[in-house]
């Protein structure tokens, strides 16, 4: 792990050019699909870069910089290959790549744009945050004023409703974007009578808001026309098939270890044809200078991809080392884990760890999980080590699954049951976790 700290420092020193360092940081945060798009753009801009086909991959040998020096024959029909490649990317645009493009074209101050792009990397496939964005900004060391401007800029992008902490906030953003003021019936219904709206208790909401029930019904209809899933129009295929970045397997000693799958990671080399051209044009300084720049920038891209993979692997290995019980026995054994812990283990900065887990997935015997899901806040537990929020949610799920359908457990009863197990959780936290688990309220779970 000490080597990873040296590696990151080396990246910072070695990649003196701002563009090179930014390329690495973008590549690290990018999903595999987004990385392919970045590589496609780099190849179009740099004719010295070529992608190694899988057949060549098996035959060619990579040097220390990740450059194939085998000099084997390659497909030089670049126009056709690039055209087909970019067409496939256009059909697979993700929500993150769409938002990043819009933000980069918004003319934001550099600090605000950087913070907004960081926030995009923390959105889930629906366009929602998994954790409060203010906490993300604080962890990343973003100035409060810059954070507010970045979040506002993100929430102004299309599709309307992205950048929210959940459905309720997303609907409020959509109503505001549609011109509804803070006193409109629809806004007040969503903001002040959310529970009544969700359970269609319109008469109750009308009394609380002091308006006719017909007004509430009309407002509810208005809300029903909004989009509950702002990210639904992007990368539909990714929702059904997730190519994991990391696989966790048991080694001969019984410990669980992580390895990279390498799936969908483009393998690049420097063009043998352009190497020959450089030798042939040695007496033409301008041509040689241009080709030298292409090779230098091409090596930067190849190294950045290699460093991206090494960084993701180091972070995954550190996570797996700390979560051995999870891989042995399942989700209820997930321990509290902070990005600061993995930062200390690897020597990488917290922001680098955050980028490394953004949009990356891990496959193990229990299923496929987002790497970010292994980070969970701790909750107090009497007489034993702290437990993770995820483990508490799993315990709530078990309690509900075992309850008497005729007498389902209320949030208060769940709170008491957890307390008996030595887990101190407030009732409002129980309600929040129950909703996150898509468990209906007590009255809707009762079966006679």
């Amino acid at each position: 792990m000490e080597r990873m700290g040296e590696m990151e420092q080396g990246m910072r020193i070695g990649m003196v050019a701002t563009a090179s360092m930014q390329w690495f940081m973008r590549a690290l945060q990018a999903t595999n699909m987004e990385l392919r798009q970045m590589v496609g753009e780099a190849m179009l801009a740099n004719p010295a870069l070529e992608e190694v086909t899988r057949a060549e991959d098996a035959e060619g040998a990579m040097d220390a910089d990740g450059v194939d020096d085998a000099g084997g024959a390659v497909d030089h029909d670049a126009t056709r290959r690039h055209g087909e490649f970019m067409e496939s990317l256009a059909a697979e645009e993700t929500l993150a790549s769409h938002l990043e493009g819009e933000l980069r074209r918004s003319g934001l101050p550099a600090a605000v744009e950087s913070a907004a792009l960081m926030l995009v990397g923390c959105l889930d496939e629906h366009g929602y945050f998994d954790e409060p964005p203010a906490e993300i900004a604080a962890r990343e060391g973003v100035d409060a004023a810059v954070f507010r401007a970045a979040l506002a800029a993100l929430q102004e992008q299309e599709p309307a409703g992205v950048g929210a902490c959940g459905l309720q906030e997303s609907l409020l953003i959509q109503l505001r974007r549609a011109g509804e003021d803070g006193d409109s019936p629809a806004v007040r219904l969503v903001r002040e009578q959310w529970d009544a709206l969700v359970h269609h208790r319109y008469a109750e909401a009308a009394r609380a808001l002091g308006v006719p029930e017909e007004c509430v019904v009309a407002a509810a209809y208005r809300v029903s026309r909004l989009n509950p899933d702002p990210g639904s129009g992007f990368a539909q295929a990714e929702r059904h098939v997730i190519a994991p970045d990391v696989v966790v397997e048991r080694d001969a000693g019984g410990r669980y270890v992580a390895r990279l799958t390498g799936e969908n990671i483009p393998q690049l080399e420097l063009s043998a044809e352009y190497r020959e051209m450089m030798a042939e044009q040695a007496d033409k300084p301008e041509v040689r200078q241009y080709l030298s720049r292409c090779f230098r920038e091409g090596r930067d891209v190849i190294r950045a991809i290699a460093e991206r993979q090494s960084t993701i692997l180091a972070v995954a290995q550190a996570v797996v080392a700390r979560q051995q019980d999870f891989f042995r026995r399942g989700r209820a054994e997930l321990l509290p884990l902070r990005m600061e812990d993995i930062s200390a283990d690897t020597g990488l900065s917290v922001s680098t760890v955050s980028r490394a887990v953004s949009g990356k997935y891990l496959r193990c015997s229990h299923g496929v999980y987002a790497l970010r899901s292994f980070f969970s806040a701790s909750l107090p537990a009497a007489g034993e080590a702290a437990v993770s929020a995820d483990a508490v949610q799993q315990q709530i799920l078990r309690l509900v699954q075992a309850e008497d359908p005729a007498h389902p457990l209320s949030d208060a009863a769940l709170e008491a049951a957890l307390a008996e197990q030595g887990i101190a959780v407030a009732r409002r936290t129980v309600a929040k976790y129950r909703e996150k688990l898509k468990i209906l309220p007590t009255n809707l779970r009762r079966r006679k």
Side-chain angles (χ1 to χ4, degrees), residues 62-116:
M62 304 296 283
D63 68 15
D65 291 331
V67 182
D68 188 342
D69 284 324
V74 295
D75 175 11
H76 296 301
D77 190 3
T79 302
R80 177 186 57 77
R81 184 182 62 197
H82 289 164
E84 293 173 352
F85 178 63
M86 295 307 289
E87 284 176 12
S88 69
L89 289 172
E92 296 173 331
E93 183 181 32
T94 65
L95 176 64
S97 62
H98 165 76
L99 290 172
E100 286 174 357
E102 292 299 304
L103 288 166
R104 293 182 193 281
R105 290 188 288 269
S106 296
L108 299 170
V112 175
E113 179 184 301
S114 177

Side-chain angles (χ1 to χ4, degrees), residues 247-264:
V247 172
V248 176
E249 299 169 325
R250 197 171 183 175
D251 66 12
R255 284 188 63 79
Y256 287 86
V257 295
R259 66 172 176 81
L260 295 176
T261 65
E263 294 179 20
N264 298 318

Side-chain angles (χ1 to χ4, degrees), residues 264-311:
N264 298 318
I265 299 298
Q267 300 291 327
L268 300 179
E269 67 177 3
L270 296 178
S271 167
E273 181 179 332
Y274 273 79
R275 288 175 190 267
E276 295 173 4
M277 186 184 300
M278 189 170 180
E280 293 169 357
Q281 303 294 330
D283 59 339
K284 298 179 181 179
E286 290 185 2
V287 174
R288 186 173 180 83
Q289 183 178 11
Y290 166 72
L291 292 175
S292 294
R293 179 173 62 81
C294 288
F295 280 118
R296 183 176 63 254
E297 293 176 353
R299 286 193 179 93
D300 282 345
V301 171
I302 293 170
R303 288 192 185 102
I305 293 173
E307 296 290 0
R308 171 194 189 266
Q309 293 300 93
S310 296
T311 302

